[in-house]
Amino acid sequence: MMTSWFNLAAIALGGAIGSLCRYGVTLTAAALPGGSTMLGTTIANLVGCGLLGALSSLDPTQSESIERLMLALRVGFLGSLTTFSTFTAESSMLAGEGRWGASGIYVLANLILGYLALILAGNLVRWWIQT
């Protein structure tokens, strides 16, 4: 894979769209009754894990345009949609407030559900392709 200005532009465009989606998910989750920004972080991370699992299951023909699209989606869009740093800061904030149980549940929910979303989406895409 050769880095070119076109690849960098694809990543930047995907990142811009992903960050706007992330912001929209956060605002929507915070506006829900009982919602919060942490719910938004979790939703964004789970959606990102599922999409990455689905994309990782695809075996596209190796062409420059497909490679560029995958860079835009995987590195750009999903890289800015998901957020490990915010997840870490939020779980640390809960622990700092002495809410150890909530912090543990938050960490486990993001990690375990994220892993399951990735595996499930990947398996669904592979199954769909084979049928």
Side-chain angles (χ1 to χ4, degrees):
M1 169 172 48
M2 187 166 153
T3 300
S4 70
W5 287 107
F6 291 115
N7 289 353
L8 295 175
I11 293 167
L13 179 61
I17 295 168
S19 62
L20 292 172
C21 289
R22 167 82 170 90
Y23 183 65
V25 168
T26 299
L27 289 180
T28 303
L32 294 173
S36 68
T37 58
M38 284 188 273
L39 177 62
T41 300
T42 302
I43 291 169
N45 286 340
L46 295 180
V47 167
C49 287
L51 289 173
L52 184 59
L55 289 172
S56 297
S57 297
L58 299 175
D59 187 21
T61 21
Q62 290 303 318
S63 72
E64 236 177 274
S65 58
I66 295 296
E67 179 181 323
R68 193 165 292 131
L69 176 63
M70 292 303 270
L71 283 172
L73 292 174
R74 293 175 74 171
V75 178
F77 180 77
L78 293 177
S80 64
L81 174 69
T82 60
T83 173
F84 191 77
S85 58
T86 301
F87 156 67
T88 304
E90 289 170 344
S91 59
S92 176
M93 178 198 64
L94 288 171
E97 293 172 355
R99 299 170 60 193
W100 292 100
S103 179
I105 290 169
Y106 185 60
V107 168
L108 289 175
N110 273 271
L111 295 178
I112 292 171
L113 294 176
Y115 181 77
L116 291 175
L118 184 123
I119 298 299
L120 179 63
N123 285 332
L124 283 172
V125 168
R126 278 191 291 283
W127 171 80
W128 181 65
I129 290 172
Q130 292 173 357
T131 56

